C-alpha cells in the first residue's frame, strides 16, 4: 500500500500530527504554547489540544504551570532505552569518556540524520572554554568536518541531491564553494580524517575520523572540537588518539 493511501485515513493523519508535534518541540528545544504548536505544525486547535491531552496522559508530554508544553519523562526513558540498546552508542561512551579525560577536550560521536548532520553523543572535557554542538541538533552537512567524512564514496550527483542548496551558505553569509567541498570529501577519504577551521565558529577547529561497520561508507564519526590555537603537535596527537579509538569501535563486518 502506498504512503499516499495510508495517510488518507484519520488514524494515519493523527500519527503524522504526533510526529510533527514532537519534531517541532525538538527543533524548538524548549517548551511551546499550544498556539505556537498550532502555527508550527499547521494542525487545527482541536487536534493540538486532543493530542496534547492524550500524550500527557501517556507521559510523553508535560504541561508546565504557565501552560507551555514539552516532552515528558516517558520520552527520557525511551531515549535511555535506545542508548542502552544501540551497540555503537553503548561501546562508544566509555571510549569517549577516556578521550575527554585524557586530553581535556570535547569528544563527540556524530551521524547523518536525513540531509543533516547531528551529534549523537557528547563528552565535555575539563577545559573551562568549550566549543561543541548540542546533542540532537541538526546542522547542515557542509558546515562540519564530520560531513566530509560521512559523505565519502558518494557520487557528486548523489551529494548535490542530498544537500539542500541553502546549506552551502554559512551563518556568516559566506558561501561554501561546491567544487571545493567535494574536493575536501575526496581528500578526506584518501587521508582518513577531516579537519576544518572557523566554518561556523571562528575560534573552532574540528577534526573527525570515520567509524565503520562493514565495508560500506562510514556509519559515524568520532570527533574533537578544539580551539584554533592548538599547534600542529597537539593536533597530530589528537588525530592519532581519534584514529586509535575509531579503530577500536569499527568492525570489519556489520553485526547481524
Amino acid at each position: 500500500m502506498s504512503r499516499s493511501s495510508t495517510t488518507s485515513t484519520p488514524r494515519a493523519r493523527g500519527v503524522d500530527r504526533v510526529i510533527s508535534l514532537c519534531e517541532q518541540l525538538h527543533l524548538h528545544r524548549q517548551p511551546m504554547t499550544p498556539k505556537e504548536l498550532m502555527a508550527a505544525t499547521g494542525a487545527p486547535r482541536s487536534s493540538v489540544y486532543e493530542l496534547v491531552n492524550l500524550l500527557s496522559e501517556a507521559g510523553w508530554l508535560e504541561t508546565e504551570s504557565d501552560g507551555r508544553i514539552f516532552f515528558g519523562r516517558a520520552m527520557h526513558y525511551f531515549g535511555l532505552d535506545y542508548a542502552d540498546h544501540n551497540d555503537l552508542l553503548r561501546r562508544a561512551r566509555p571510549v569517549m569518556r577516556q578521550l575527554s579525560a585524557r586530553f581535556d577536550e570535547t569528544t563527540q560521536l556524530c551521524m547523518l540524520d536525513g540531509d543533516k548532520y547531528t551529534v549523537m553523543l557528547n563528552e565535555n572535557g575539563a577545559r573551562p572554554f568549550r566549543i561543541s554542538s548540542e546533542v540532537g541538533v541538526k546542522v547542515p552537512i557542509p558546515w562540519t568536518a564530520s560531513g566530509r567524512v560521512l559523505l565519502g564514496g558518494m557520487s557528486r550527483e548523489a551529494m548535490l541531491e542530498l544537500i539542500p542548496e541553502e546549506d552551502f551558505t554559512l551563518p556568516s553569509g559566506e558561501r561554501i564553494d561546491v567544487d571545493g567541498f567535494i574536493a575536501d570529501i575526496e581528500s578526506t577519504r584518501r587521508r582518513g580524517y577531516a579537519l576544518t577551521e572557523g566554518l561556523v565558529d571562528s575560534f573552532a577547529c574540528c577534526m573527525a575520523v570515520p567509524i565503520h561497520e562493514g565495508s560500506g561508507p562510514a556509519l559515524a564519526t568520532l570527533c574533537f572540537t578544539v580551539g584554533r590555537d592548538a599547534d600542529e603537535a597537539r593536533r597530530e596527537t589528537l588525530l592519532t588518539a581519534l584514529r586509535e579509538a575509531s579503530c577500536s569501535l569499527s568492525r570489519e563486518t556489520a553485526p547481524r
Side-chain angles (χ1 to χ4, degrees), residues 164-233:
E165 175 70 19
E166 61 270 18
D167 284 6
F168 286 99
T169 301
L170 293 166
S172 64
E174 181 182 352
R175 176 81 177 170
I176 295 174
D177 177 69
V178 173
D179 291 334
F181 173 69
I182 293 174
D184 281 350
I185 293 172
E186 179 57 28
S187 175
T188 292
R189 189 183 64 81
R190 290 196 305 268
R191 66 189 182 185
Y193 70 89
L195 190 149
T196 59
E197 294 190 65
L199 284 181
V200 176
D201 188 317
S202 59
F203 297 102
C205 170
C206 302
M207 51 189 73
V209 298
I211 298 173
H212 290 279
E213 282 193 355
S215 58
L219 171 68
T221 63
L222 195 62
C223 323
F224 276 135
T225 305
V226 304
R228 292 182 72 180
D229 57 352
D231 60 28
E232 288 300 318

Side-chain angles (χ1 to χ4, degrees), residues 1-203:
M1 183 179 292
S2 68
R3 178 169 173 78
S4 61
S5 62
T6 59
T7 55
S8 63
T9 67
R11 180 179 294 274
R13 285 198 301 271
V15 171
D16 286 342
R17 284 173 177 161
V18 169
I19 294 171
S20 178
L21 187 150
C22 291
E23 286 178 340
Q24 290 303 321
L25 288 174
H26 174 62
L27 289 171
H28 203 63
R29 299 187 72 78
Q30 59 183 351
M32 300 175 69
T33 65
K35 185 176 180 179
E36 289 171 333
L37 285 170
M38 291 173 216
T41 63
R45 182 177 186 276
S46 58
S47 294
V48 168
Y49 277 101
E50 180 182 8
L51 289 175
V52 167
N53 288 335
L54 287 171
L55 296 176
S56 295
E57 289 176 5
W60 289 30
L61 299 179
E62 292 179 357
T63 301
E64 300 193 345
S65 59
D66 61 2
R68 294 186 303 159
I69 299 147
F70 201 56
F71 294 118
R73 68 177 63 187
M75 290 297 205
H76 174 65
Y77 301 148
F78 298 157
L80 291 176
D81 289 342
Y82 176 77
D84 288 342
H85 172 75
N86 184 279
D87 178 68
L88 177 58
L89 298 185
R90 188 173 62 249
R91 292 186 294 115
R93 190 175 291 281
V95 172
M96 293 170 61
R97 285 174 177 161
Q98 290 174 8
L99 286 171
S100 291
R102 179 181 172 190
F103 296 105
D104 290 338
E105 302 287 4
T106 297
T107 312
Q108 296 180 324
L109 183 128
C110 308
M111 292 181 170
L112 291 181
D113 186 352
D115 62 4
K116 298 292 187 289
Y117 140 104
T118 192
V119 176
M120 295 292 292
L121 291 177
N122 185 86
E123 288 293 337
N124 287 320
R127 292 179 183 271
F129 178 63
R130 297 170 185 161
I131 307 169
S132 63
S133 297
E134 294 184 53
V135 172
V137 174
K138 295 183 180 182
V139 177
I141 294 169
W143 298 7
T144 68
S146 286
R148 288 157 172 76
V149 175
L150 293 166
L151 296 189
M154 186 178 291
S155 70
R156 179 189 181 97
E157 293 74 19
M159 290 181 205
L160 296 182
E161 183 177 351
L162 172 67
I163 302 172
E165 175 70 19
E166 61 270 18
D167 284 6
F168 286 99
T169 301
L170 293 166
S172 64
E174 181 182 352
R175 176 81 177 170
I176 295 174
D177 177 69
V178 173
D179 291 334
F181 173 69
I182 293 174
D184 281 350
I185 293 172
E186 179 57 28
S187 175
T188 292
R189 189 183 64 81
R190 290 196 305 268
R191 66 189 182 185
Y193 70 89
L195 190 149
T196 59
E197 294 190 65
L199 284 181
V200 176
D201 188 317
S202 59
F203 297 102

